[in-house]
Each structure stands twice: as structure tokens, then as C-alpha cells.
Amino acid sequence: LTLLFGLASINTLTVISVTRYIKGCHPERGHCISNSSMTVSLVLIWIAAFFWSAAPLLGWGSYTDRMYGTCEIDWAKANFSTIYKSYIVSIFICCFFLPVSVMIFSYVSIINTVKLSHALTGLSDPTDRQRRIERDVTRVSIVICTAFIIAWSPYAVISIWSAYGHPVPNLTSILASLFAKSASFYNPIIYFGMSSKFRRDIFILFRC
């Protein structure tokens, strides 16, 4: 369940970055983002998360007890089985490397698009509103990407490290797991603290 919800969080962040990229860099394709497309995206998010988290239960990969109240993928078995190693390498590429690459590409493209749009206006001194929009987009994009990478990189690194036979201290493994599990906590806090529109929508939703 921990892996299931963690992967669903990663996939959700990736879809959010793609929708922001479409709206920010290709507004003419904004019609592609609709209720139906978002419903399909949510279904695919959970199908992918369920596939990767259920695979060890079906023999591709394995879970092990970490003796601190939870279990996780048995990375060490990659040393003894090509099947287990293929699962670990595949989940690392598909569930960490690719999502990180997509998010970085999306947010960097948004930042460059905002800067380019200001340059094309021919204004040597952009208005306060333009500066504020550029600053907010840049800040939110950098914080989201940074928080995601900080949360998941330690866990991904020690997982691959242990998969290739290198010992990992228990305390290091526990801290890396806690950082990874906290990733779903960061995102709403970032949006609530840095997006006035998000705060307004929350207040309207809960009638505050």
C-alpha cells in the first residue's frame, strides 16, 4: 500500500506538470485538457501504480520486512536473480527517472516560455504584474521539482546501491524511506503556501 500510494503520488505530480506545460507553452491545445481527459489520466495513474506495486506479489520482484513497522521492495535479491534485477531497474527508470525528466522538462519549458513572452513584448521594463507572474511561476516550479527530487532521490539512490550488492546502514534506509513517504505531504503545502488561486479555491470548496 505504501508503494501503491507513493507511485500514485509520483504519477499525479507528473500529470500535473504535463497539464501545466500544455496550458503554459501550448495554449492552443488547451482544449485537450477536459474533464474526460483528466478522468482517463486518473485511471491510468492508478493502473500504473497498481501494476508496479502488485508485480512483486506475482513473482516479478519481492517485498521484505524492514522491521520498523513497514515493508518495502527487497532490493538485495537483485544480486541473486536476473528477474528481480530487471524489476528494480525497470521501476527505477519508469517510476523515478522518467517522471523526474518529464517534470524538469515541463517546468523549465514553462519558465523559458514566460521569459520569451516578455522579451517579445519589446518592453525593457516589464510591468509589476508581469514580474510577479514570472517570479511566481519560476518559484513554484523550482520548489515543486526540488521537493520531489529531495524526497525521492535518497530512496532511489540507496535502493539501486543495495541492488548492486553494497550494504546500506539501517538508519540510512529508514531516513530515506521517511523522506520518500513524506513526498505526498509536501505538494499540497507548497501549492497552498505559494498559490493564491489554490488558496481561494480551497476556501470556496470548504466555504471558509
Side-chain angles (χ1 to χ4, degrees):
L1 289 175
T2 300
L3 183 62
L4 172 67
F5 292 124
L7 294 178
S9 176
I10 294 174
N11 295 340
T12 302
L13 290 176
T14 306
V15 171
I16 289 174
S17 70
V18 172
T19 58
R20 286 171 59 86
Y21 169 76
I22 293 174
K23 286 194 172 185
C25 301
H26 300 283
E28 71 280 1
R29 299 182 182 176
H31 64 276
C32 297
I33 303 175
S34 61
N35 289 338
S36 59
S37 64
M38 288 298 97
T39 300
V40 171
S41 298
L42 288 172
V43 171
L44 293 177
I45 284 171
W46 285 98
I47 288 177
F50 182 80
F51 168 78
W52 289 107
S53 58
L57 302 178
L58 302 176
W60 190 32
S62 176
Y63 286 113
T64 185
D65 182 13
R66 279 304 189 190
M67 296 180 294
Y68 50 84
T70 186
C71 66
E72 62 181 29
I73 296 172
D74 191 348
W75 309 100
K77 280 192 176 180
N79 298 297
F80 312 106
S81 171
T82 303
I83 295 177
Y84 290 147
K85 179 170 289 188
S86 68
Y87 172 76
I88 291 172
V89 172
S90 298
I91 197 172
F92 177 81
I93 294 175
C94 297
C95 300
F96 179 76
F97 180 77
L98 288 180
V100 168
S101 300
V102 170
M103 282 189 281
I104 291 176
F105 170 79
S106 298
Y107 288 124
V108 168
S109 298
I110 292 171
I111 293 171
N112 290 336
T113 299
V114 171
K115 291 182 178 180
L116 180 61
S117 65
H118 291 167
L120 292 176
T121 61
L123 298 176
S124 58
D125 184 21
T127 64
D128 290 339
R129 182 175 180 275
Q130 288 175 324
R131 284 197 297 268
R132 186 169 63 254
I133 292 175
E134 181 174 350
R135 183 179 64 249
D136 290 346
V137 170
T138 302
R139 185 174 57 179
V140 173
S141 301
I142 291 175
V143 170
I144 289 175
C145 287
T146 302
F148 176 86
I149 293 173
I150 289 175
W152 282 98
S153 290
Y155 186 75
V157 169
I158 69 166
S159 298
I160 292 296
W161 183 261
S162 61
Y164 281 90
H166 304 288
V168 177
N170 286 335
L171 180 59
T172 302
S173 177
I174 291 173
L175 291 177
S177 298
L178 290 176
F179 267 94
K181 293 172 184 177
S182 68
S184 58
F185 174 77
Y186 298 154
N187 204 51
I189 297 299
I190 292 171
Y191 273 103
F192 189 84
M194 303 182 67
S195 174
S196 58
K197 183 180 184 303
F198 186 81
R199 287 196 298 272
R200 287 196 302 269
D201 291 343
I202 289 294
F203 293 152
I204 293 173
L205 179 63
F206 291 102
R207 301 184 183 280
C208 298

mmCIF file of all heavy atoms in Angstrom, residues 1 5-6 21 29 42 81 98 109 111 134 138 149 159 171 180 196:
data_model
loop_
_atom_site.group_PDB
_atom_site.id
_atom_site.type_symbol
_atom_site.label_atom_id
_atom_site.label_comp_id
_atom_site.label_asym_id
_atom_site.label_seq_id
_atom_site.Cartn_x
_atom_site.Cartn_y
_atom_site.Cartn_z
ATOM 1 N N LEU A 1 0.823 -1.210 0.000
ATOM 2 C CA LEU A 1 0.000 0.000 0.000
ATOM 3 C C LEU A 1 0.862 1.267 0.000
ATOM 4 O O LEU A 1 0.535 2.253 -0.650
ATOM 5 C CB LEU A 1 -0.930 0.003 1.219
ATOM 6 C CG LEU A 1 -2.087 -1.008 1.179
ATOM 7 C CD1 LEU A 1 -2.860 -0.987 2.487
ATOM 8 C CD2 LEU A 1 -3.003 -0.754 0.000
ATOM 9 N N PHE A 5 0.504 4.004 -3.034
ATOM 10 C CA PHE A 5 0.161 5.414 -2.890
ATOM 11 C C PHE A 5 1.344 6.314 -3.244
ATOM 12 O O PHE A 5 1.168 7.423 -3.748
ATOM 13 C CB PHE A 5 -0.315 5.693 -1.467
ATOM 14 C CG PHE A 5 -1.628 5.038 -1.140
ATOM 15 C CD1 PHE A 5 -1.750 4.185 -0.049
ATOM 16 C CD2 PHE A 5 -2.742 5.249 -1.933
ATOM 17 C CE1 PHE A 5 -2.961 3.574 0.250
ATOM 18 C CE2 PHE A 5 -3.957 4.645 -1.648
ATOM 19 C CZ PHE A 5 -4.067 3.802 -0.558
ATOM 20 N N GLY A 6 2.559 5.838 -2.984
ATOM 21 C CA GLY A 6 3.734 6.622 -3.365
ATOM 22 C C GLY A 6 3.849 6.778 -4.869
ATOM 23 O O GLY A 6 4.103 7.875 -5.383
ATOM 24 N N TYR A 21 2.381 22.321 -18.518
ATOM 25 C CA TYR A 21 3.175 22.542 -19.724
ATOM 26 C C TYR A 21 2.279 22.853 -20.914
ATOM 27 O O TYR A 21 2.542 23.782 -21.688
ATOM 28 C CB TYR A 21 4.026 21.307 -20.005
ATOM 29 C CG TYR A 21 4.682 21.314 -21.365
ATOM 30 C CD1 TYR A 21 5.788 22.109 -21.626
ATOM 31 C CD2 TYR A 21 4.170 20.517 -22.398
ATOM 32 C CE1 TYR A 21 6.385 22.117 -22.878
ATOM 33 C CE2 TYR A 21 4.757 20.514 -23.639
ATOM 34 C CZ TYR A 21 5.865 21.321 -23.883
ATOM 35 O OH TYR A 21 6.442 21.328 -25.132
ATOM 36 N N ARG A 29 -3.631 24.189 -27.503
ATOM 37 C CA ARG A 29 -4.039 22.808 -27.266
ATOM 38 C C ARG A 29 -4.732 22.645 -25.910
ATOM 39 O O ARG A 29 -4.903 21.526 -25.424
ATOM 40 C CB ARG A 29 -2.822 21.879 -27.330
ATOM 41 C CG ARG A 29 -2.130 21.887 -28.688
ATOM 42 C CD ARG A 29 -0.964 20.930 -28.708
ATOM 43 N NE ARG A 29 -0.265 20.962 -29.983
ATOM 44 C CZ ARG A 29 0.848 20.265 -30.257
ATOM 45 N NH1 ARG A 29 1.364 19.475 -29.326
ATOM 46 N NH2 ARG A 29 1.417 20.352 -31.434
ATOM 47 N N LEU A 42 -6.467 10.025 -14.504
ATOM 48 C CA LEU A 42 -6.545 9.479 -13.145
ATOM 49 C C LEU A 42 -6.613 7.953 -13.165
ATOM 50 O O LEU A 42 -5.978 7.282 -12.344
ATOM 51 C CB LEU A 42 -7.763 10.050 -12.423
ATOM 52 C CG LEU A 42 -7.665 11.522 -12.000
ATOM 53 C CD1 LEU A 42 -9.009 12.017 -11.483
ATOM 54 C CD2 LEU A 42 -6.588 11.693 -10.947
ATOM 55 N N SER A 81 19.161 -12.795 -8.624
ATOM 56 C CA SER A 81 18.174 -13.155 -9.643
ATOM 57 C C SER A 81 18.096 -12.068 -10.707
ATOM 58 O O SER A 81 17.962 -10.881 -10.388
ATOM 59 C CB SER A 81 16.806 -13.361 -9.007
ATOM 60 O OG SER A 81 15.816 -13.513 -9.998
ATOM 61 N N LEU A 98 12.081 8.677 -15.436
ATOM 62 C CA LEU A 98 11.204 9.289 -16.444
ATOM 63 C C LEU A 98 10.305 10.371 -15.861
ATOM 64 O O LEU A 98 10.194 11.466 -16.438
ATOM 65 C CB LEU A 98 10.376 8.203 -17.141
ATOM 66 C CG LEU A 98 11.136 7.300 -18.114
ATOM 67 C CD1 LEU A 98 10.204 6.272 -18.734
ATOM 68 C CD2 LEU A 98 11.805 8.128 -19.207
ATOM 69 N N SER A 109 10.484 24.404 -19.447
ATOM 70 C CA SER A 109 9.841 24.948 -20.649
ATOM 71 C C SER A 109 8.880 26.078 -20.291
ATOM 72 O O SER A 109 8.798 27.087 -21.001
ATOM 73 C CB SER A 109 9.078 23.829 -21.386
ATOM 74 O OG SER A 109 9.959 22.818 -21.825
ATOM 75 N N ILE A 111 9.088 28.091 -17.674
ATOM 76 C CA ILE A 111 9.902 29.253 -17.303
ATOM 77 C C ILE A 111 10.436 29.953 -18.541
ATOM 78 O O ILE A 111 10.376 31.187 -18.673
ATOM 79 C CB ILE A 111 11.052 28.810 -16.383
ATOM 80 C CG1 ILE A 111 10.500 28.318 -15.050
ATOM 81 C CG2 ILE A 111 12.031 29.960 -16.150
ATOM 82 C CD1 ILE A 111 11.534 27.657 -14.153
ATOM 83 N N GLU A 134 6.030 36.112 -13.531
ATOM 84 C CA GLU A 134 7.257 35.361 -13.830
ATOM 85 C C GLU A 134 7.906 34.844 -12.555
ATOM 86 O O GLU A 134 8.358 33.691 -12.492
ATOM 87 C CB GLU A 134 8.245 36.264 -14.584
ATOM 88 C CG GLU A 134 9.540 35.552 -14.943
ATOM 89 C CD GLU A 134 10.440 36.409 -15.808
ATOM 90 O OE1 GLU A 134 9.990 37.461 -16.285
ATOM 91 O OE2 GLU A 134 11.594 36.006 -16.008
ATOM 92 N N THR A 138 8.214 30.826 -11.718
ATOM 93 C CA THR A 138 9.559 30.298 -11.513
ATOM 94 C C THR A 138 9.708 29.690 -10.127
ATOM 95 O O THR A 138 10.232 28.583 -9.972
ATOM 96 C CB THR A 138 10.599 31.420 -11.686
ATOM 97 O OG1 THR A 138 10.466 31.992 -12.988
ATOM 98 C CG2 THR A 138 12.011 30.872 -11.527
ATOM 99 N N ILE A 149 12.513 15.890 -5.900
ATOM 100 C CA ILE A 149 13.830 15.252 -6.029
ATOM 101 C C ILE A 149 14.439 14.997 -4.660
ATOM 102 O O ILE A 149 15.034 13.937 -4.412
ATOM 103 C CB ILE A 149 14.754 16.132 -6.898
ATOM 104 C CG1 ILE A 149 14.220 16.166 -8.336
ATOM 105 C CG2 ILE A 149 16.180 15.602 -6.884
ATOM 106 C CD1 ILE A 149 14.948 17.134 -9.240
ATOM 107 N N SER A 159 18.422 2.431 -2.972
ATOM 108 C CA SER A 159 17.798 1.225 -3.500
ATOM 109 C C SER A 159 18.658 0.614 -4.593
ATOM 110 O O SER A 159 18.923 -0.599 -4.596
ATOM 111 C CB SER A 159 16.401 1.550 -4.030
ATOM 112 O OG SER A 159 15.570 2.031 -3.001
ATOM 113 N N LEU A 171 19.811 2.854 9.674
ATOM 114 C CA LEU A 171 19.360 4.216 9.917
ATOM 115 C C LEU A 171 19.235 4.985 8.606
ATOM 116 O O LEU A 171 18.259 5.728 8.396
ATOM 117 C CB LEU A 171 20.331 4.943 10.853
ATOM 118 C CG LEU A 171 19.972 6.385 11.195
ATOM 119 C CD1 LEU A 171 18.610 6.455 11.871
ATOM 120 C CD2 LEU A 171 21.048 7.016 12.084
ATOM 121 N N ALA A 180 10.918 9.649 1.446
ATOM 122 C CA ALA A 180 10.106 9.275 0.289
ATOM 123 C C ALA A 180 8.620 9.306 0.638
ATOM 124 O O ALA A 180 7.792 9.789 -0.145
ATOM 125 C CB ALA A 180 10.509 7.884 -0.205
ATOM 126 N N SER A 196 -1.969 31.761 -4.631
ATOM 127 C CA SER A 196 -3.152 32.444 -4.109
ATOM 128 C C SER A 196 -4.428 31.876 -4.730
ATOM 129 O O SER A 196 -5.468 31.791 -4.071
ATOM 130 C CB SER A 196 -3.055 33.948 -4.385
ATOM 131 O OG SER A 196 -2.922 34.200 -5.778
#
